[in-house]
Amino acid sequence: MATDAPPPEGPVGTSPAQPTTEAYKAVQASAEFADLRRSFRSFAFPLTVGFVAWYLLYVLLCSYAADFMGTKILGNINLALVLGLAQFATTFLIAWLYSRHAATKLDPKAEAIKSRMEADA
């Protein structure tokens, strides 16, 4: 959608100072950044491995245990359908858990690093 309105007025040439390459390297080598990486990895890697294993188990059961997966649960609803829908539920659960983890653990640490870098620039 196009508009005829001019861009907003603002100070010209007053962009914030950008940190140098050396500043980024120093932050990357800091214990604070290592703690942020550790917090992310200690959450993301186990959940990723667990979900991939759960997904592969579902695929293998569907491929090699058709009689077991065809077990009727309720009416025409069988175990394969229930486990397949559980894949979706697991995906949403992991996304929700990650969102909570990021908001409580990762974002405050990242914001502290960002604030320190902006103050130093």
Side-chain angles (χ1 to χ4, degrees):
M1 177 173 167
T3 180
D4 292 331
E9 296 287 329
V12 178
T14 59
S15 64
Q18 297 295 314
T20 63
T21 303
E22 291 76 26
Y24 281 110
K25 288 181 180 180
V27 166
Q28 185 179 8
S30 71
E32 190 178 21
F33 188 76
D35 185 47
L36 175 62
R37 265 195 327 242
R38 191 177 317 104
S39 294
F40 169 75
R41 289 178 179 170
S42 68
F43 182 86
F45 288 170
L47 256 63
T48 301
V49 169
F51 182 78
V52 169
W54 158 229
Y55 175 74
L56 291 176
L57 174 67
Y58 174 72
V59 170
L60 290 173
L61 285 172
C62 286
S63 297
Y64 298 108
D67 291 339
F68 174 68
M69 294 298 274
T71 303
K72 299 284 185 187
I73 304 288
L74 180 67
N76 285 333
I77 298 173
N78 62 15
L79 187 58
L81 179 63
V82 170
L83 293 180
L85 292 174
Q87 290 286 320
F88 287 101
T90 305
T91 301
F92 290 117
L93 176 66
I94 290 172
W96 178 72
L97 289 172
Y98 178 76
S99 175
R100 279 188 45 211
H101 177 74
T104 58
K105 301 280 195 293
L106 303 179
D107 291 348
K109 292 176 184 180
E111 187 60 37
I113 292 170
K114 179 183 170 210
S115 297
R116 195 181 77 233
M117 285 193 75
E118 288 175 346
D120 292 344

